[in-house]
Amino acid sequence: MPSLRLSRDTAVQPPCQLGSEFAPTAIRQRQPGPTPENRLRARAALLPGIIARCLAATALAACAPAAAAPNAPAAAQPAGPRADLTAPTADDAMLAYRTMRLWLDGWAVPPAPGPAELPSAEGASVTLRFDGQVIGRASELAIGPADDRGRIIYRALVAAYGEADRRAPIEHDALREQKLRTLGSRVMLAVELAGPLTPVEPVRAQDLDALLAPGLDGLAVRLGNRTEAMFPGTMLATNTAPSEAVRALVARLTEQPSAALSEPKDLIRQGMKFFKFRSTLLAQAEPGASPVFLQRGQRAVPLADVSARAGLVRYADALARHLESRRYAGAEPLGMHGTYLPWRNQYQPLIAEPHEQALAALALTRYGAYAAADPDLANRARVAAAGLLRDLHAVDPSESSPYDDAPASALILATLGWHRGDAAVPAADMARAARARLRAAFDPGNGFDASVPPAAWGVIALGEVYGASFDVAPGPNARTDLNRALDERARPAIRRAFRDTQPTNLFSLMPFLAWAEIEASATADADVPAAGALRQMRSTLWRAQLSAADAGPDRQDAVGGVLFTTAPSTLPTWNTARPLAAAATMLGDGRLTEPGERAGEVVRILGALRFLNQQTADDSIGWMAPSPALSVGGVRAAPWDARMPVSATAMTLLSVVETIRALDALAPAPPRAASPEEPAVRP
């Protein structure tokens, strides 16, 4: 497993870091201001103890992303002027799509478009897919005032169609033309229209990542009367950052690969010009389907999708199914695949790290215990989690041992309690090995070992809480014995983690430190010792939550997410799920959330879940993914980054499960019989 050594002074987390659930995180401070949830406080009296099912849709809509017209101007960005960055209208995109779809269905593009068949455009990109694979892609940009904007879309289609006609998987025989006409209706179409070009002057290639709104702006490079461009849809569909796209465009434009190594400032001196542009993307997600308008490659997710228990359960089901689909199918005990790259239909790395697999096992276990829609789904999740635990213990020569890694060992302990009665899981042997690793990571007298990154302190404390239960035998004195066992290692680890962590860095220990603290205090029927610190952490979290007003037109898809940075951030990432899981648990604990606070907390939590749901692939990902079924339910690393880390989906599932548990506690459903395998300690 790669080293997790991190500087304790590190306070800023990169906007997207795979496997970063144990990376240090600080959060930018924002001044409190009027928020929709403040207005809900007056309504709290109408919701006495029944928050889960009766929060009105009109109240929830206050934190929903505002709808923006497809041709609305982009919001101002620190990077430079954007007043002329407008996307083509939805009507133009739909007209272009319908005309091209008609031609493709008959697999015959006319020699020229008829009057009013295609709208004018500054630029266009056309992508044709068959059986999930791109068989034709081309783009065109208007070069100057004399260029006929009425033929831009047609030129892009002709080029893409010509490539597709050559690459179509049809034999070159006497029946080829007939077969191609049959194929046409099965070819998926994505059309992207560009707005006006806006000049930019980057100094370095990396500057373009800040100058362009990720997933919304395209990049064009011009030299003389030649222009090369990459549309934002293509960047998303190939997971290409602007700083990477510019290298490819320069090499293509100059026909000199070495020129791609030059920085833009030097290329500008040689007469090269750089532009950005906004676009409108309309695409099919499957053959024969109606097209959908996409923002950053995703269909817009309304708050209503997560505003009721049934919607949350459906969301949890999708996340759990995706994790189950990651199971390694070979004979070797390798557990599950690593980060999924949907645009390539590949896993990279092929096998997930031990701590990722252990986190997935915990998420599936808790989903099966608390949130599954029916017994069959619950049993499937339990079996998948048990399989992951079993494979983690049976270390293959090609992989590292989970017992060499303290976070993985801690997560194994946090999961084992539900599997003690499972004959397929060697729980006692696993607990023994995992606890030995934690003893090396933490000493009650000396604190955490120097080799343990501070961001791992929280999960180690949680592992100690669960590990203590293995010292307790069933019987009338079990509770007393458990408290004594918690005093030995778990509570000292919790206190040390809180004491030695700056308040602004508590987010990097979430949700595990909060869970450890809540459970250890609940076992003793006591108040939460760190209640003040946890409540302050939660307040800071919500101050950094992106509201519809703050987001502007460019970032409506990110409303509800949390900005983890000490400077203004472009967009939130999947890491929103980490403190959110803690906040959801706190919602259901009366020691940390008073009745008058519940309504506002529910609104904020559901807003964050809306953002995470926006980050989760649904069937609309078929426009860019060769195997959509493997993508659905996976959480993207960031709005502009289609990679799907195991940790992103697992942590999001934990957040949803904790929200369901909290809402059920506040608005009790019919009593659920406790499973005999449920552990004594339940965070």
Side-chain angles (χ1 to χ4, degrees):
M1 177 176 178
S3 171
L4 289 173
R5 294 176 184 271
L6 297 166
S7 167
R8 187 167 165 189
D9 295 327
T10 304
V12 180
Q13 175 186 301
C16 172
Q17 180 177 353
L18 298 184
S20 59
E21 62 274 21
F22 305 119
T25 303
I27 196 161
R28 76 181 179 94
Q29 300 292 325
R30 297 198 302 176
Q31 295 300 317
T35 58
E37 53 269 19
N38 294 148
R39 296 191 289 274
L40 284 171
R41 296 186 184 281
R43 306 183 191 185
L46 302 177
L47 307 170
I50 309 178
I51 304 294
R53 295 181 179 85
C54 32
L55 211 68
T58 52
L60 288 173
C63 68
N71 60 338
Q77 298 286 328
R82 308 180 67 91
D84 55 350
L85 265 185
T86 55
T89 67
D91 288 344
D92 281 350
M94 184 59 74
L95 173 60
Y97 171 86
R98 287 174 175 165
T99 299
M100 288 189 283
R101 183 71 268 171
L102 182 65
W103 294 341
L104 291 172
D105 285 345
W107 206 248
V109 176
E117 281 191 307
L118 291 172
S120 297
E122 293 292 328
S125 175
V126 176
T127 301
L128 305 178
R129 288 180 180 269
F130 182 75
D131 283 347
Q133 302 298 323
V134 175
I135 60 172
R137 176 181 281 149
S139 62
E140 287 283 338
L141 281 179
I143 296 174
D147 204 350
D148 186 357
R149 269 92 175 140
R151 295 182 64 88
I152 293 294
I153 300 173
Y154 177 76
R155 284 171 11 202
L157 173 63
V158 167
Y161 171 81
E163 181 185 3
D165 193 76
R166 293 189 299 273
R167 296 178 56 186
I170 303 294
E171 294 182 5
H172 290 264
D173 56 22
L175 298 177
R176 177 174 168 79
E177 292 301 320
Q178 179 181 338
K179 292 176 182 178
L180 282 172
R181 284 192 292 273
T182 303
L183 171 144
S185 62
R186 297 164 55 198
V187 171
M188 292 164 51
L189 169 63
V191 57
E192 196 168 10
L193 303 186
L197 300 185
T198 299
V200 292
E201 294 188 359
V203 175
R204 302 169 303 158
Q206 294 92 321
D207 296 342
L208 290 165
D209 294 334
L211 287 169
L212 274 64
L216 297 181
D217 288 344
L219 175 66
V221 182
R222 180 175 295 168
L223 183 62
N225 62 354
R226 294 187 59 205
T227 303
E228 292 286 346
M230 188 175 292
F231 281 63
T234 302
M235 291 188 198
L236 289 168
T238 57
N239 224 56
T240 302
S243 57
E244 299 166 333
V246 70
R247 306 290 189 192
L249 295 176
V250 168
R252 205 156 61 208
L253 188 63
T254 61
E255 299 180 350
Q256 297 177 9
S258 60
L261 301 177
S262 301
E263 293 292 1
K265 63 177 182 180
D266 300 319
L267 296 170
I268 290 173
R269 294 193 193 101
Q270 299 170 26
M272 196 170 288
K273 297 179 180 180
F274 297 85
F275 304 88
K276 62 185 175 183
F277 57 89
R278 189 58 51 90
S279 72
T280 298
L281 173 60
L282 182 63
Q284 289 177 289
E286 59 181 315
S290 298
V292 291
F293 286 99
L294 304 171
Q295 182 176 24
R296 266 186 270 269
Q298 288 280 99
R299 183 162 39 202
V301 173
L303 185 64
D305 281 8
V306 294
S307 62
R309 189 184 193 281
L312 290 172
V313 169
R314 284 194 299 271
Y315 185 25
D317 291 345
L319 294 164
R321 286 193 181 96
H322 179 81
L323 287 177
E324 290 173 26
S325 75
R326 295 280 192 99
R327 292 281 281 125
Y328 179 73
E332 303 87 349
L334 297 177
M336 81 189 311
H337 292 294
T339 297
Y340 184 56
L341 313 181
W343 69 97
R344 291 183 186 166
N345 193 26
Q346 293 178 357
Y347 296 99
Q348 196 176 83
L350 181 63
I351 303 301
E353 295 288 357
H355 73 272
E356 294 179 301
Q357 298 198 35
L359 184 65
L362 176 63
L364 287 169
T365 295
R366 293 170 70 82
Y367 159 78
Y370 300 120
D374 58 59
D376 179 61
L377 290 174
N379 184 64
R380 281 176 46 190
R382 179 186 178 85
V383 169
L388 287 174
L389 290 173
R390 184 177 61 250
D391 287 356
L392 280 168
H393 188 62
V395 181
D396 187 83
S398 65
E399 61 179 352
S400 57
S401 169
Y403 308 119
D404 291 338
D405 178 59
S409 297
L411 289 166
I412 287 172
L413 286 169
T415 310
L416 280 176
W418 277 273
H419 298 272
R420 286 190 181 187
D422 192 333
V425 178
D429 291 342
M430 294 185 74
R432 191 177 304 111
R435 295 186 75 190
R437 179 64 186 89
L438 294 195
R439 281 193 291 272
F442 175 75
D443 178 79
N446 299 317
F448 292 94
D449 188 79
S451 65
V452 177
W457 294 351
V459 72
I460 290 172
L462 181 64
E464 293 286 7
V465 169
Y466 274 94
S469 67
F470 284 87
D471 291 334
V472 178
N477 297 322
R479 193 172 185 85
T480 300
D481 293 343
L482 178 58
N483 269 300
R484 187 179 300 113
L486 289 169
D487 283 338
E488 291 180 7
R489 296 184 55 81
R491 288 182 177 127
I494 295 168
R495 300 274 68 77
R496 176 75 70 150
F498 273 109
R499 190 192 74 185
D500 292 352
T501 303
Q502 292 293 325
T504 54
N505 285 346
L506 271 181
F507 295 96
S508 64
L509 280 65
M510 296 297 130
F512 309 112
L513 184 58
W515 288 350
E517 173 76 332
I518 290 168
E519 184 57 38
S521 58
T523 304
D525 293 325
D527 291 335
V528 180
L534 289 174
R535 288 174 62 88
Q536 179 60 41
M537 181 274 298
R538 183 173 63 184
S539 296
T540 305
L541 170 71
W542 298 137
R543 285 198 298 272
Q545 186 176 38
L546 191 63
S547 70
D550 289 340
D554 273 10
R555 300 188 294 176
Q556 288 299 309
D557 58 328
V559 168
V562 178
L563 302 175
F564 289 97
T565 175
T566 52
S569 174
T570 303
L571 292 166
T573 71
W574 76 265
N575 287 301
T576 292
R578 295 162 59 189
L580 177 62
T585 305
M586 293 169 66
L587 170 65
D589 193 316
R591 299 171 299 170
L592 295 168
T593 305
E594 297 176 0
E597 299 174 308
R598 291 171 184 166
E601 285 301 305
V602 170
V603 170
R604 290 184 281 269
I605 288 170
L606 295 185
L609 286 177
R610 189 222 66 83
F611 165 72
L612 291 171
N613 201 353
Q614 182 74 58
Q615 286 299 105
T616 305
D618 61 12
D619 56 9
S620 69
I621 199 171
W623 79 274
M624 59 162 282
S627 298
L630 293 179
S631 301
V632 172
V635 178
R636 298 185 298 171
W640 67 91
D641 188 343
R643 291 176 294 176
M644 296 178 178
V646 172
S647 298
T649 303
M651 193 66 76
T652 298
L653 178 56
L654 286 167
S655 296
V656 179
V657 169
E658 287 304 295
T659 301
I660 292 172
R661 286 187 64 202
L663 295 180
D664 283 351
L666 296 174
R672 178 183 61 86
S675 167
E677 293 85 11
E678 282 190 32
V681 179
R682 295 177 298 160

